[in-house]
Amino acid sequence: MTALRPLRPSSKVLPVDARGHNRSLVLQTLYREGTRSRADIARETGLTRVTVSALVAELIADGLVVELGQREETRPGKPATLLDLDRSAFVIVGLDLSEHSVFTGALLDLDGAISARAEVALEGSTGDEAVEKVEALAARLIEQATAPVLGIGVGSPGVVDLGGVVLSAPNLGWNGVPLQSILADRFGVPVLVANDANAAVLAEHSFGGADSDAMLITIGHGVGAGLLLGGTPLFGSRFAAGEIGHVVVGTDGGAVCACGKRGCLETWLSIPNLIDRLEGEQGAARTAVLQEAGQRLGMSLAPVVGALDLSEVILSGPTELLDGPLMAATVETLRSRTMAEFHGSLTLRMTTLGADIVLRGAAVMVLSGQLGVS
Amino acid sequence: MTALRPLRPSSKVLPVDARGHNRSLVLQTLYREGTRSRADIARETGLTRVTVSALVAELIADGLVVELGQREETRPGKPATLLDLDRSAFVIVGLDLSEHSVFTGALLDLDGAISARAEVALEGSTGDEAVEKVEALAARLIEQATAPVLGIGVGSPGVVDLGGVVLSAPNLGWNGVPLQSILADRFGVPVLVANDANAAVLAEHSFGGADSDAMLITIGHGVGAGLLLGGTPLFGSRFAAGEIGHVVVGTDGGAVCACGKRGCLETWLSIPNLIDRLEGEQGAARTAVLQEAGQRLGMSLAPVVGALDLSEVILSGPTELLDGPLMAATVETLRSRTMAEFHGSLTLRMTTLGADIVLRGAAVMVLSGQLGVS
DNA sequence: CATGTTTGTTAGTAAAGCTTACGAACTTAT
DNA sequence: ATAAGTTCGTAAGCTTTACTAACAAACATG
């Protein structure tokens, strides 16, 4: 008889786990700050020079870190030996399954730069056929790799659990597809699978300058969101966090949605619906349609921004539709519906990463999972 | 030149830190599962019997754990020596500053049971005068303590940062009041200060059976919320997470709020406003007022529940107003505005902890901060 | 009564990071 | 030019941690 309900048991920590953490810490310092000496790393991490030397020796043996020779800068004392990540030592395979009619993929280096691309047309494939197309795409990219593959990252539409099983992706006809283990078995490298919007918000955090509390809205065939809270992605109790497309917005009806309800956010904001509404409209009428959509988005987001105290909301999707009256109306609605004094510094902007955002997010997943850097 | 923006540096981990973690793990096992032998703990934690013995010896020396004698149960092998937390070894001081005209406080044991109470009338005090009343209340409770004080937990209204500074609490006239250090300096024991709704959701998780993803709405003089995501409280980028009282709900105007906007959630739902609206109403008219308030709450919560994939929403406040037509309307609105297939198991209920919820949450903060149990 | 089981402890080992010390290589002051 | 001071990386030895192996104590069972 105890007053507390059981929590999932947290696990023991051995000294060897601490070692792994400190190894990642050294790696992260080099990754983020760039060229550094062993003594620099010791100062920045708080570890001793001795310990850093041992960890660096291990990283050099693993081929992750290289010595670059002595520091040029002239100052007293023995010159430092500079180190850096060997940013060409590995490549990462990133896959984006979120587009409507095509799977895209790329080879990325440790900095997230894209060195090769490939894609495969979906042609209406679903189920196993679609899985085979994912495998073929990955195989094609791995063939082109000029360095060992660190891992495969996948941004998939739908609901994905922590083990990389796609629980539900209606467009692809997937229900409980264990994509992670399928790819891991086939290619023998680490595989990480997540929802596309979650991947995107990670990319925006790592490469796009987003805060560690941010929300990224993907607007395309559907409407979804990825949430980053305290630097950690939010998955939700049923792995369905960010599924905001089918939340009803407003009290005044709205169009009937594919899901059966009336006035879902997607009926206002998804690109197909938006294009339908804009059909033939010009000038002020066109602006009015975009403003209405923006207001609806703002109304939907206001309670979330207030409840989570978000400082940054980012939009991803077709710039020509989103970046203008729509976004202006969203920010105006957000400000007028939340506490201005608290949210004075709330920013709303387009992603800076364009169409590659999911691919680069998939790479971040691998970097963070395999190297502990992110 | 690196592609990643700097993150706040995470810190090194020494073997001694791992030791502390494992010590907490043993403590947590005893706290949650109750009476256990060393061998039981070893099996449940994955640590060896040797290591557990060493950790238990330390905990016994600290007075946190006691031996209870041999297990009665008859089975082969040497009989086990049973252990348990010494649940009367320490007391916790919990303070609730969230009520409108009175500060309440209590002495709690390690199980969160209340053994003494005290309160002090606010009588309009603000600023330093209010701080002095907090100190007096704590002093009065500490005098009554029959065991060493493990720490002081405080649930305060307003915005509280991670260092226990009350950045803003308009009702008390507090702006940047370092309550944690004031109390720590005065009483020489660990002090933890957090927002009242955050404290409340912790209590509901520890003592009320709430899931590790839950949202607790406090409805009183104002309307606030505490969020628990993955078992961790959410604070937000400016420590203002949960401030949903001044989010505008609906598109049809509504009453003017103290904050200047029109149609804030508080204008529909705060207890003073609700009582005003109910003034003189009976029967169906009364029900209609409560239903309207419940619908407004549901409209506000729907985007949050959808975005966070919450499975549990809990209300705290006067049962006679909330637990009836209001709550029924809220759950109905929530279901009709979110994806039923995902949120089939969404539950909305009243807290089971009554008026002591903040006091007990304050105790959880101390338990979790000082013993690593929660 | 012999055998097997379970508990808690003792003894010894491996790993991790620490402190102390030192040689190498450089700048700066005399 | 020489001496002194500074900085870097490494070596040696220590402390802490949790591990394995082994054992005595205390019980049940055939």
Side-chain angles (χ1 to χ4, degrees), chain A residues 36-37 39-40 43 71-82:
Chain A
R36 283 279 182 291
S37 73
D40 293 332
R43 275 185 293 267
R71 172 177 276 147
E72 296 296 320
E73 194 186 325
T74 169
R75 56 177 177 179
K78 176 178 168 179
T81 311
L82 293 175

Side-chain angles (χ1 to χ4, degrees), chain B:
Chain B
M1 287 303 302
T2 164
L4 282 204
R5 63 191 300 275
L7 303 170
R8 37 187 167 10
S10 89
S11 77
K12 61 175 174 177
V13 171
L14 304 183
V16 67
D17 300 316
R19 175 92 173 176
H21 177 97
N22 289 336
R23 187 187 130 115
S24 280
L25 193 60
V26 169
L27 216 44
Q28 220 170 107
T29 305
L30 280 175
Y31 185 67
R32 287 173 2 215
E33 314 288 336
T35 304
R36 283 275 181 293
S37 73
R38 292 170 175 85
D40 293 331
I41 296 171
R43 274 185 294 267
E44 288 176 31
T45 58
L47 296 165
T48 62
R49 290 202 307 272
V50 180
T51 303
V52 170
S53 277
L55 291 167
V56 165
E58 201 179 292
L59 293 169
I60 289 177
D62 288 354
L64 281 164
V65 167
V66 286
E67 293 197 335
L68 299 179
Q70 293 191 349
R71 174 176 274 148
E72 295 296 322
E73 194 185 328
T74 169
R75 56 177 178 180
K78 175 178 170 179
T81 311
L82 292 175
L83 306 166
D84 197 3
L85 270 192
D86 186 350
R87 288 164 203 269
S88 60
F90 294 96
V91 296
I92 298 169
V93 175
L95 304 180
D96 178 359
L97 315 183
S98 69
E99 284 183 65
H100 196 232
S101 57
V102 64
F103 288 161
T104 63
L107 287 179
L108 302 98
D109 67 18
L110 298 189
D111 285 325
I114 292 177
S115 59
R117 293 177 184 274
E119 58 178 63
V120 55
L122 203 45
E123 292 168 334
S125 298
T126 59
D128 291 343
E129 213 173 288
V131 172
E132 279 161 27
K133 292 199 171 173
V134 175
E135 291 185 64
L137 179 59
R140 190 131 47 92
L141 286 162
I142 288 173
E143 271 173 31
Q144 297 176 56
T146 55
V149 174
L150 186 63
I152 303 175
V154 185
S156 165
V159 178
V160 184
D161 76 11
L162 297 181
V165 177
V166 182
L167 298 178
S168 156
N171 286 344
L172 297 172
W174 286 352
N175 283 289
V177 173
L179 199 55
Q180 173 172 318
S181 51
I182 290 173
L183 294 174
D185 289 352
R186 163 92 185 257
F187 298 107
V189 298
V191 178
L192 292 145
V193 185
N195 172 272
D196 55 336
N198 275 319
V201 74
L202 281 174
E204 195 63 35
H205 176 54
S206 289
F207 301 116
D211 202 7
S212 25
D213 289 82
M215 183 173 189
L216 185 137
I217 319 283
T218 61
I219 301 169
H221 203 254
V223 176
L227 278 158
L228 199 71
L229 298 173
T232 314
L234 180 79
F235 296 102
S237 59
R238 278 172 295 266
F239 313 108
E243 297 292 327
I244 58 169
H246 297 284
V247 170
V248 177
V249 46
T251 47
D252 45 359
V256 173
C257 180
C259 75
K261 296 197 299 294
R262 190 178 276 277
C264 288
L265 186 57
E266 278 196 13
T267 65
W268 299 100
L269 204 62
S270 79
I271 297 305
N273 281 322
L274 210 49
I275 288 175
D276 272 2
R277 283 170 192 269
L278 288 171
E279 182 78 31
E281 304 283 4
Q282 293 293 331
R286 181 185 164 88
T287 301
V289 167
L290 292 170
Q291 279 177 337
E292 166 103 59
Q295 281 162 14
R296 297 289 164 166
L297 178 58
M299 288 167 59
S300 261
L301 292 182
V304 180
V305 167
L308 303 184
D309 185 27
L310 290 175
S311 55
E312 198 164 14
V313 177
I314 301 146
L315 303 186
S316 169
T319 307
E320 67 278 12
L321 293 175
L322 304 179
D323 193 7
L326 193 154
M327 199 161 75
T330 303
V331 73
E332 171 58 28
T333 306
L334 265 176
R335 286 194 200 281
S336 69
R337 294 175 80 96
T338 57
M339 290 198 80
E341 57 270 42
F342 283 124
H343 302 297
S345 63
L346 172 69
T347 61
L348 178 72
R349 61 174 176 86
M350 290 297 297
T351 172
T352 55
L353 303 178
D356 292 332
I357 186 166
V358 174
L359 290 175
R360 298 184 71 180
V364 172
M365 287 156 48
V366 174
L367 279 169
S368 140
Q370 294 311 108
L371 304 184
V373 299
S374 64

Side-chain angles (χ1 to χ4, degrees), chain A residues 16-373:
Chain A
V16 67
D17 300 315
R19 175 87 173 180
H21 177 96
N22 288 336
R23 187 187 130 115
S24 280
L25 193 59
V26 169
L27 216 45
Q28 220 171 107
T29 305
L30 280 174
Y31 186 67
R32 286 172 4 215
E33 313 288 336
T35 304
R36 283 279 182 291
S37 73
R38 292 171 175 85
D40 293 332
I41 296 172
R43 275 185 293 267
E44 289 177 29
T45 58
L47 296 164
T48 62
R49 291 202 307 272
V50 180
T51 301
V52 170
S53 277
L55 290 167
V56 165
E58 203 178 292
L59 293 169
I60 289 177
D62 289 353
L64 280 165
V65 166
V66 286
E67 292 197 336
L68 299 179
Q70 292 191 347
R71 172 177 276 147
E72 296 296 320
E73 194 186 325
T74 169
R75 56 177 177 179
K78 176 178 168 179
T81 311
L82 293 175
L83 306 166
D84 198 2
L85 270 193
D86 185 350
R87 288 164 203 267
S88 60
F90 293 97
V91 295
I92 298 168
V93 175
L95 305 180
D96 178 0
L97 316 183
S98 69
E99 285 184 64
H100 195 230
S101 58
V102 65
F103 288 162
T104 63
L107 287 179
L108 302 97
D109 67 19
L110 298 189
D111 285 324
I114 291 178
S115 59
R117 292 177 185 273
E119 57 178 63
V120 55
L122 204 45
E123 292 167 333
S125 299
T126 59
D128 291 344
E129 214 174 288
V131 172
E132 279 161 27
K133 290 197 172 174
V134 175
E135 292 186 62
L137 180 60
R140 191 131 48 92
L141 286 162
I142 288 173
E143 270 173 31
Q144 296 176 55
T146 55
V149 174
L150 185 63
I152 303 176
V154 185
S156 165
V159 179
V160 183
D161 77 9
L162 296 180
V165 177
V166 182
L167 299 178
S168 156
N171 287 343
L172 296 171
W174 286 352
N175 284 289
V177 172
L179 200 55
Q180 173 174 319
S181 51
I182 290 172
L183 294 174
D185 289 351
R186 162 91 184 259
F187 299 108
V189 298
V191 177
L192 292 145
V193 185
N195 172 271
D196 54 337
N198 275 320
V201 74
L202 282 174
E204 195 64 35
H205 177 54
S206 290
F207 301 117
D211 202 7
S212 23
D213 289 83
M215 183 176 191
L216 184 137
I217 320 282
T218 60
I219 302 169
H221 202 254
V223 176
L227 278 158
L228 199 71
L229 298 174
T232 313
L234 180 79
F235 296 102
S237 60
R238 277 173 297 266
F239 313 108
E243 298 291 327
I244 58 170
H246 296 283
V247 170
V248 176
V249 46
T251 47
D252 45 0
V256 172
C257 179
C259 75
K261 296 197 299 294
R262 191 179 276 275
C264 289
L265 186 57
E266 279 196 13
T267 65
W268 299 100
L269 204 62
S270 79
I271 297 305
N273 280 323
L274 210 48
I275 287 175
D276 273 1
R277 282 170 193 270
L278 288 170
E279 182 78 31
E281 303 283 7
Q282 294 294 330
R286 180 185 165 88
T287 300
V289 168
L290 293 171
Q291 279 177 337
E292 166 104 58
Q295 282 163 14
R296 297 289 165 166
L297 178 59
M299 288 166 58
S300 260
L301 292 182
V304 180
V305 168
L308 303 185
D309 184 27
L310 291 174
S311 54
E312 197 165 13
V313 177
I314 301 148
L315 304 185
S316 168
T319 307
E320 67 278 13
L321 293 175
L322 305 179
D323 193 5
L326 192 154
M327 199 160 76
T330 303
V331 74
E332 172 56 29
T333 306
L334 265 177
R335 286 194 200 281
S336 68
R337 293 176 81 94
T338 57
M339 290 199 80
E341 56 269 43
F342 282 124
H343 302 296
S345 63
L346 172 68
T347 61
L348 178 72
R349 62 174 175 86
M350 291 296 299
T351 172
T352 54
L353 302 178
D356 292 332
I357 186 167
V358 175
L359 291 175
R360 298 183 72 180
V364 171
M365 287 156 50
V366 173
L367 279 169
S368 133
Q370 293 310 111
L371 304 184
V373 299

